[in-house]
């Protein structure tokens, strides 16, 4: 059995844990909103029509921010369609997902949902078919306390308090040819810059996210980041990154190493941002908002699910409803490790998405809501990752992958909360076949108790949680884990994710 070793030292820190890294995303897409978070006929629905069983799971998941209302959807969206009396709201074509949008849920309802779930609303404006004026309008409607036409409209629509949205996305994936209103980097940079400056005239304290690339494999990657930041550097706070992973051609070893790709992606965007900073001689540091990340069986959508029939515009169709396996959950856990490892630059992130659509939570209309496999690494990491991210020294055997070459079999990150006297270690074993024993030197952290060691693994790594077997894959206590004189030893089965809670 190969061995790995981790050394933790409270002096080797990355940055404080940003709670915003545990964000998620709700788009008007498929059954994310309609028959997802919103189902007025459901036995648990509140007065707004939101399912409270789903809200309970959202709270349990430990989600902090929620990006809304898209995604590709936002690039054709008229925000004002979704406010005011429900019976007067227009039905519209949603070109992004080839669906009918009923507008039963809009900004005011979603802001109430956010408040009830204890999440921060991160709002995206449409820079696809719209521009500066509409962004200013929705900002006035949402955030101005009253005394103007739009803010008074919000009050008369039943929201007397401003929604106080701080985090705003300047469009979505504007580098993608599939995006409504897609243009060149130069065109988007001009529009995003003008919009950002106008929004700051309303409120200089807003936090603005400019669109980076929708993937590191985009042909404009790098050029896009540089061009957009050259125009907007002093006017925005974050540049976005998006990445989705799936196993291709049964190459599960590369899939298990997806976090290597995420690490490289983040490092490249940081390099682009710092290049612009240097050229501008700026004092300001640009942060990254990794506001779409997950496992997504995108090829299934492209090859099977995509509807283009001009006579068929379904309402809340079942789209992107991936059933996640034990292996997918391990990859998700590893992607979170990558995000935490970059805590000095990635200070916001959104698991895409939250309910039904590539989601950790699945619902059945008039039926139950349950946790997908990917729910667990997210929920446990969000609960345990507190204080400061530590930079562990990892000595691990290597495994070879077709896409990324030789990569460490074991990947890990740790956090330490000195004031609370706690620490947490998150580990994955990426190997498809090997069990690895890890020895963790945590003596200098002053911890001597192992409160829990939970491992997510299934001998059948394709196992999923389904309507009829909702708890097929759940984390189990790892009985091999022990602590002796500040040294933890734990055995990690192949394709597994583990969390250690230390005091
Ligand atoms: O999350 C699903 C889609 O993926 C989003 O709408 C889009 O931004 C991305 O391409």
């Amino acid at each position: 059995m190969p061995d790995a070793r981790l050394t933790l030292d409270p002096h080797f820190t990355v940055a404080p844990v940003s709670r915003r890294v545990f964000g998620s995303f709700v788009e008007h897409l498929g059954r994310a909103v309609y028959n997802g978070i919103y189902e007025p006929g459901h036995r648990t629905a509140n007065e707004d029509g939101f399912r409270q069983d789903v809200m309970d799971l959202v709270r349990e998941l430990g989600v902090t921010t929620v990006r809304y209302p898209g995604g590709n959807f936002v690039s054709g969206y008229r925000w004002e369609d979704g406010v005011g009396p429900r019976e007067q709201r227009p039905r519209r074509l949603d070109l992004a997902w080839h669906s009918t949008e009923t507008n039963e849920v809009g900004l005011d309802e979603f802001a109430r949902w956010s408040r009830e779930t204890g999440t921060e609303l991160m709002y995206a404006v449409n820079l696809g078919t719209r521009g500066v004026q509409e962004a200013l309008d929705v900002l006035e409607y949402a955030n101005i306390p009253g005394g103007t036409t739009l803010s008074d409209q919000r009050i008369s629509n039943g929201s007397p308090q401003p929604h106080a949205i701080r985090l705003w996305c300047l469009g979505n994936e504007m580098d993608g040819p599939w995006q409504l209103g897609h243009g060149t980097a130069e065109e988007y940079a001009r529009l995003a810059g003008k919009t950002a400056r106008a929004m700051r005239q309303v409120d200089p304290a807003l936090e603005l996210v400019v669109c980076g690339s929708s993937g590191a494999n985009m042909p404009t990657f790098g050029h896009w980041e540089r061009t957009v930041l050259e125009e907007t550097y002093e006017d925005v706070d974050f540049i976005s990154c998006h990445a989705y992973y799936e196993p291709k051609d049964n190459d599960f070893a590369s899939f298990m190493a997806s976090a290597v790709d995420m690490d490289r992606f983040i490092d490249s965007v940081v390099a682009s941002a710092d290049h612009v900073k240097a050229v501008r001689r700026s004092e300001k540091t640009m942060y990254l908002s990794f506001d779409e990340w997950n496992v997504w069986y995108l090829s299934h959508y492209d090859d099977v699910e995509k509807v283009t029939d001009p006579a068929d515009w379904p309402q809340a169709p079942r789209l992107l409803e991936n059933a996640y396996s034990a292996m997918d959950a391990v990859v998700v856990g590893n992607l979170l490790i990558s995000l935490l490892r970059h805590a000095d630059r990635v200070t916001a992130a959104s698991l895409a998405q939250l309910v039904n659509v590539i989601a950790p939570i699945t619902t059945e209309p008039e039926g139950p809501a349950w946790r997908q496999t990917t729910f667990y690494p997210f929920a446990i990491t969000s609960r345990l990752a507190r204080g400061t991210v530590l930079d562990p020294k990892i000595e691990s055997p290597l495994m070879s992958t077709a896409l990324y070459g030789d990569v460490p079999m074991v990947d890990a990150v740790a956090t330490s909360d000195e004031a609370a006297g706690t620490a947490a270690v998150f580990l994955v074993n990426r190997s498809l076949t090997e069990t690895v024993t890890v020895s963790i030197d945590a003596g200098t952290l002053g911890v001597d108790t192992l409160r829990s060691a939970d491992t997510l693994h299934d001998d059948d790594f394709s196992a999923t949680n389904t309507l009829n077997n909702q708890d097929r894959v759940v984390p189990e206590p790892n009985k091999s884990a022990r602590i002796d004189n500040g040294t933890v030893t734990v055995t990690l089965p192949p394709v597994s994710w583990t969390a250690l809670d230390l005091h």
Side-chain angles (χ1 to χ4, degrees):
M1 190 187 301
D3 289 337
R5 211 182 143 80
L6 232 68
T7 309
L8 304 175
D9 187 310
H11 300 104
F12 298 161
T13 60
V14 182
V17 175
S18 165
R19 295 300 304 159
R20 279 183 173 165
V21 165
F22 300 105
S24 185
F25 176 30
V26 169
E27 177 168 5
H28 284 241
L29 191 187
R31 296 193 310 124
V33 174
Y34 306 111
N35 276 338
I37 62 169
Y38 174 79
E39 190 186 334
H42 194 268
R43 59 179 173 76
T44 70
N46 69 8
E47 62 282 6
D48 268 322
F50 290 123
R51 282 179 65 155
Q52 301 192 67
D53 59 341
V54 175
M55 287 193 196
D56 287 343
L57 286 176
V58 169
R59 288 187 206 100
E60 183 186 324
L61 186 62
V63 166
T64 52
T65 61
V66 182
R67 184 168 175 254
Y68 174 86
N72 296 339
F73 170 80
V74 83
S75 297
Y77 182 52
R78 291 174 248 209
W79 68 269
E80 61 275 27
D81 286 352
V83 299
R86 268 189 176 143
E87 59 289 356
Q88 289 169 24
R89 296 187 190 174
R91 293 167 67 85
R92 301 273 191 202
L93 296 181
D94 161 18
L95 303 188
W97 302 106
H98 205 84
S99 308
T100 298
E101 170 58 49
T102 64
N103 283 305
E104 282 162 79
V105 173
L107 175 53
D108 292 321
E109 290 85 18
F110 195 76
R112 281 199 286 279
W113 182 90
S114 297
R115 263 200 306 281
E116 278 208 42
T117 52
T119 56
E120 178 186 3
L121 171 50
M122 175 186 200
Y123 194 84
V125 299
N126 174 357
L127 292 189
T129 58
R130 303 189 119 186
V132 180
Q133 186 58 59
E134 293 86 353
L136 288 175
D137 288 348
V138 67
L139 173 58
E140 178 183 329
Y141 182 91
N143 280 10
I144 296 296
T148 66
T149 302
L150 288 168
S151 58
D152 286 345
Q153 231 177 63
R154 184 200 67 241
I155 294 168
S156 59
N157 287 339
S159 296
Q161 296 306 321
H163 298 318
I165 304 171
R166 283 184 66 89
L167 254 182
W168 295 78
C169 303
L170 301 168
N172 175 68
E173 292 192 347
M174 296 307 299
D175 64 322
W178 58 86
Q179 201 71 214
L180 270 174
H182 156 72
T184 63
E186 290 75 9
E187 286 164 345
Y188 170 68
R190 289 282 297 150
L191 179 57
K194 282 192 282 188
T195 310
R197 289 185 286 275
M199 291 176 79
R200 285 213 191 283
Q201 277 184 252
V202 177
D203 181 355
L206 298 177
E207 296 179 70
L208 302 178
V209 185
V210 76
C211 291
S213 294
S214 48
N217 53 353
M218 294 298 288
T220 49
F221 178 56
H223 166 75
W224 181 276
E225 278 71 11
R226 182 170 49 79
T227 309
V228 164
L229 287 177
E230 275 168 354
E231 180 73 27
T232 62
Y233 199 85
E234 301 302 334
D235 304 311
V236 301
D237 305 283
F238 298 91
I239 181 155
S240 71
C241 305
H242 292 180
Y244 292 101
Y245 298 96
E246 66 180 314
K248 301 233 171 83
D249 306 320
N250 290 331
D251 177 8
F252 294 111
S254 297
F255 177 57
M256 282 300 300
S258 298
V260 171
D261 182 75
M262 184 182 250
D263 286 338
R264 292 177 187 172
F265 185 8
I266 293 170
D267 292 343
S268 306
V269 176
V270 166
S272 296
D274 288 350
H275 164 78
V276 178
K277 174 179 180 168
V279 171
R280 298 180 62 85
R281 281 122 179 114
S282 175
E283 289 296 311
K284 175 177 172 179
T285 298
M286 186 61 55
Y287 292 97
L288 274 53
S289 169
F290 215 120
D291 47 39
E292 287 189 34
W293 68 271
N294 204 349
V295 172
W296 176 9
Y297 288 77
L298 177 57
S299 42
H300 185 257
Y301 172 71
D302 284 336
D303 303 343
V304 180
E305 288 183 309
K306 209 173 198 162
V307 182
T308 49
D309 179 354
D312 185 17
W313 296 85
Q315 211 172 296
R318 287 184 185 253
L319 279 181
L320 281 56
E321 299 204 0
N322 294 177
Y324 287 117
S325 66
M327 179 183 268
D328 296 333
V330 176
V331 170
V332 162
N334 200 173
L335 294 173
L336 269 171
I337 288 173
S338 168
L339 293 172
L340 283 173
R341 178 168 31 240
H342 292 94
D344 54 337
R345 298 304 288 268
V346 180
T347 53
S350 305
L351 173 72
Q353 300 193 6
L354 186 56
V355 177
N356 289 331
V357 169
I358 44 172
I361 298 169
T362 304
T363 71
E364 263 309 302
E366 295 176 26
W370 68 94
R371 301 164 190 81
Q372 291 237 21
T373 58
T374 53
F375 185 98
Y376 295 102
F378 191 100
I380 296 173
T381 309
S382 177
R383 179 164 54 81
L384 296 182
R386 302 280 156 168
T388 304
V389 179
L390 301 180
D391 183 13
K393 168 105 175 90
I394 307 174
E395 294 156 86
S396 163
L398 300 177
M399 61 184 255
S400 65
T401 67
L403 291 183
Y404 311 115
D406 287 348
V407 305
M409 225 177 241
V410 171
D411 193 17
V413 76
T415 60
S416 156
D417 187 343
E418 242 183 288
T422 60
V425 186
F426 307 98
L427 307 114
V428 289
N429 178 0
R430 294 164 167 163
S431 170
L432 301 177
T433 51
E434 304 280 343
T435 297
V436 186
T437 294
V438 187
S439 150
I440 305 166
D441 178 357
T444 52
L445 299 184
V447 290
D448 57 13
T449 312
L450 183 57
R451 280 225 302 208
S452 65
D454 289 306
T455 292
L456 189 139
H457 161 82
D458 198 293
D459 287 342
D460 172 5
F461 58 64
S462 67
T464 58
N465 293 341
T466 59
L467 174 61
N468 295 323
N469 196 355
Q470 295 173 14
D471 298 321
R472 168 73 169 83
V473 183
V474 295
E476 304 280 358
N478 186 319
K479 297 206 179 82
S480 73
R482 54 197 89 264
I483 186 165
D484 185 20
N485 262 339
T487 298
V488 182
T489 47
V490 59
T491 299
L492 310 178
V495 189
S496 65
W497 173 89
T498 296
L500 308 175
D501 181 9
L502 296 156
H503 274 235

